Structures are given as C-alpha cells and as structure tokens.
Amino acid sequence: MSEQPGDGRPVAGGSRACRRLFGPVDSEELRRDCDALMAGCLQEARERWNFDFVTETPLEGDFAWERVRGLGLPKLYLSRDDSGGGKWPGASSALLQGTAPEDHVDLSLTCTLVPRPGEPPEGSPGGPGTSQGRKRRQTSMTDFYHSRRRLIFSKRKP
Amino acid sequence: MELLCCEVDPVRRAVRDQNLLQDDRVLQNLLTIEERYLPQCSYFKCVQKDIQPYMRRMVATWMLEVCEEQKCEEEVFPLAMNYLDRFLAGVPTPKSHLQLLGAVCMFLASKLKETIPLTAEKLCIYTDNSIKPQELLEWELVVLGKLKWNLAAVTPHDFIEHILRKLPQQREKQSLIRKHAHTFIALCATDFKFAMYPPSMIATGSVGAAICGLQQDEEVSSLTCDALTELLAKITNTDVDCLKACQEQIEAVLLNSLQQYRQDQRDGSKSEDELDQASTPTDVRDIDL
C-alpha cells in the first residue's frame, strides 16, 4: 500500500466512497488543460510584474527589477534536484516547483515601482510610513509568488 | 504482570482561545473580509458549459463521504467546497475533470486545517485510481494559481463559537447545538444554492435551525424561535428576513435529505452497508422538524 506510516486513517477496503464519478479520465486531456492553465497563470504574472518568469528576465513596465546577492538563503531554496518534480514545460519549473538551477542566489530579484512620467516623485525616500499608494504596492506581491516574495523580501534587512 | 495498552488519539487540538472568542473585533473582522472569499459568479449560468448543478452535488456528496470516512476535521469539507466553487467560477471545466478537482480541493483544505493531512495517494484511491498522484500534484498548482494562493477562506465554522457565546442557553446543550450546526453547514455546502451566501449567514441560519429543531423535544433555549432569529440577526448584522429565509431553506434541504434517506431505506434493494453511505450526514437523521 502507498499509505504513509503513522497516518492512522487507512482507506477501508471495498469502501463505497472509492468510485469514479464521471467515467474515464483522459490523462492526455488532463495534461493539455493543466499546461494551458499554468501558461495562463504565468502570462498573468508576467503582465502583473513585468517580468518573464520563464526566462527570468525583467521586461518593460512599472517595476524596476534588480539582482540581489548574498542573501544567505537556506540551502533548501538554492538548489534542488529534479527528481521529485513533474515534467513541467520549459523553465517555469524553476519558479513553480522550487526546482531552481544551482545559482538560485543570482536569480533572487527585488523590484521597485518606477514612478510614471508626470507623476510627482515620491517624497522622502526611505522615510517610514510615508510611502503611499503606488509605492506601497511593492510589498503586495502576494498574488502569485507568495512564498518567493517572503523569501526575497524578508531576507533583505541584515 | 498486567499490561495496559491504549490507543492515543494522534491528533492534538488547541483549546479554544478565549482571547480571540471574547474579543468582538475578531467577529467584526471576519464579517468584513468574508465577502472576499465568495465565488465571483453563479457559474452554471455564466462560466460552465459541460458541468450541471447535479454534477456538483455528486462530487460534493463524494467529497463529504471521503471526509467523513477519513474523519477529517469538520472544516475541511466546507473549505474544500469553497475552493471548488471559486475555481469553477473562473475556469470552464469539463465534467471529466470534476472529480480530480474535488480531490485537489480536499487535498488543499486538509493541508490547511489538519495536523495529519490526507495524502495524494489516498485521495487517488478514493477516485478508484482514475487519477494519478502526479496529476493531483500538478493540478494542485493550477488550483493554487487560480485561487491566487488565497486559501485561508472564511467558512461558516469560523462564526459558530462567536455566535454560540452570545446566546442565552444552557451550557450542557451547547455541544449538541454545535454538533447539529456543523451538520447543517456540511449539508449547505453540498447544495449550490448556498454557495453564494456569506458564511456568516449560513452559520447563523445553521445555529438557528439547530436550536429550533432541538427546541421541539426539550428546552434548549429560553427564547422563542422568532426572538432567537432576531437575536442571531443582530449578532452577525444580517437582515432578519434574509436570515429567516436562509434558515427555512436549510430546514427544507434537511427535510429533503431525510426524505431521500427514508426513501432509500424503504428500497429493499439497498443493503445496510450502502445506507450508511447515504448522502445525509449521520447526525441529522434523528432530527425531527
């Protein structure tokens, strides 16, 4: 059995709850839909953050991306072999599965919101609590890459 | 030499935090944020082409059976249904993917709420191995992305203790009222007409239905049903008439469910074993309305 040890909640043999509800499932179709939906998510994130998460390159847009080095990240985040991961299309796996290349430190990026021309520049940069509106959005990068944001931003202080 | 061997419940639960329950800000914050976690639209009309309301009921019934058989925490099932509804409100899905989606939602909800979560392998067994663990894990990411990783949704369960605390009732009846209210919440989660209702209304209606149902046999509250509804409405800032309507709907769903159960019981063709797996959660079968 593939039960995890210590679970204590085995599936009762012949349980009536073990049943398929809507006939056969087409694995190929599942894979196609899964890839299409993941691609959609990536595209959304790309537009949201003007960053190509597949090639790990910044794009034109509201955010200025810069490399951050020497964050002292736990090894867990730095590299992982591909063994456990699925066969994800392209390099998106680096981000989505945490299966990053060896030099993950170099991939750690930080972004700041660039003021649009015509907008008044931010007053007193770095002043606590003064950053309003658009600037604040910098820290709200939670939509998609929640854990990654924490990984980058929470390590910036030291 | 005598040896005593006992099994210890492996799940450790935290005690109810009185600091959280007695602070009214917690309830007010829950009421403020609950709308964020409702599905964006009534998706059978505007998003889904293949999936019909009866299919949602089928997958919900199956999910409830799995959660009950696996003795999941009560919150897991309604939370999983919240994920399912929010996903379906945004993504047109063929019916052949629906069971996988249900499994993924249970997988996520169980991880969020349980100390020992359901495993991917186990959930696949429950689909009669129609999906593979790897597929479940891949779709987990899809669902997470579509839900924007917002998993800590407000559920009706979040309100129950806050509501019970404010009702005048005998303390010894409280656990029975709570148990029945939980059953009503599960029942509501299986029925699409409650999917767009704010969780606070479902919680309030469930507590109301539980107390009024129990009231017929014995005194569990010093209030009449009408007075109770008014008090409940005040607690969660719900409109009294909306709440009454909601409570009536809950009672109707229960009645329907019980009739279905009795119908099944009359059908001699069904074995006792099958009856045990009927879609009505076990505790409500002895309620009379």
Side-chain angles (χ1 to χ4, degrees), chain A residues 56-128:
Chain A
E56 307 264 358
T57 42
L59 305 166
E60 282 293 302
D62 287 347
F63 294 99
W65 289 85
E66 59 181 273
R67 253 174 228 286
V68 177
R69 290 177 195 274
L71 294 175
L73 297 178
K75 212 168 179 184
L76 173 73
Y77 297 113
L78 299 184
S79 66
R80 202 191 289 175
D81 64 339
D82 260 322
S83 58
K87 45 172 185 114
W88 280 96
S92 63
S93 60
L95 199 83
L96 298 168
Q97 299 267 72
T99 52
E102 309 288 22
D103 61 342
H104 194 159
V105 172
D106 284 344
L107 298 175
S108 300
L109 289 143
T110 178
C111 65
T112 11
L113 200 54
V114 187
R116 290 224 174 98
E119 271 181 39
E122 299 282 347
S124 64

Side-chain angles (χ1 to χ4, degrees), chain B residues 9-75:
Chain B
D9 187 354
V11 178
R12 304 245 176 244
R13 281 185 190 75
V15 291
R16 293 192 184 94
D17 190 336
Q18 294 305 319
N19 291 316
L20 293 177
L21 290 175
Q22 284 169 11
D23 191 330
D24 210 41
R25 288 175 301 176
V26 176
L27 177 59
Q28 294 312 317
N29 286 339
L30 283 170
L31 290 169
T32 311
I33 62 169
E34 65 174 341
E35 304 267 343
R36 286 184 214 167
Y37 300 99
L38 290 178
Q40 291 299 305
C41 63
S42 184
Y43 52 79
F44 290 117
K45 285 187 194 129
C46 55
V47 182
Q48 302 301 336
K49 295 195 175 68
D50 197 18
I51 295 178
Q52 304 291 319
Y54 80 89
M55 297 174 189
R56 181 191 183 275
R57 182 184 295 280
M58 276 172 74
V59 77
T61 305
W62 170 72
M63 288 163 70
L64 183 57
E65 280 174 41
V66 173
C67 286
E68 287 194 333
E69 197 170 291
Q70 285 295 310
K71 299 190 169 48
C72 291
E73 297 288 324
E74 300 261 15
E75 259 185 299

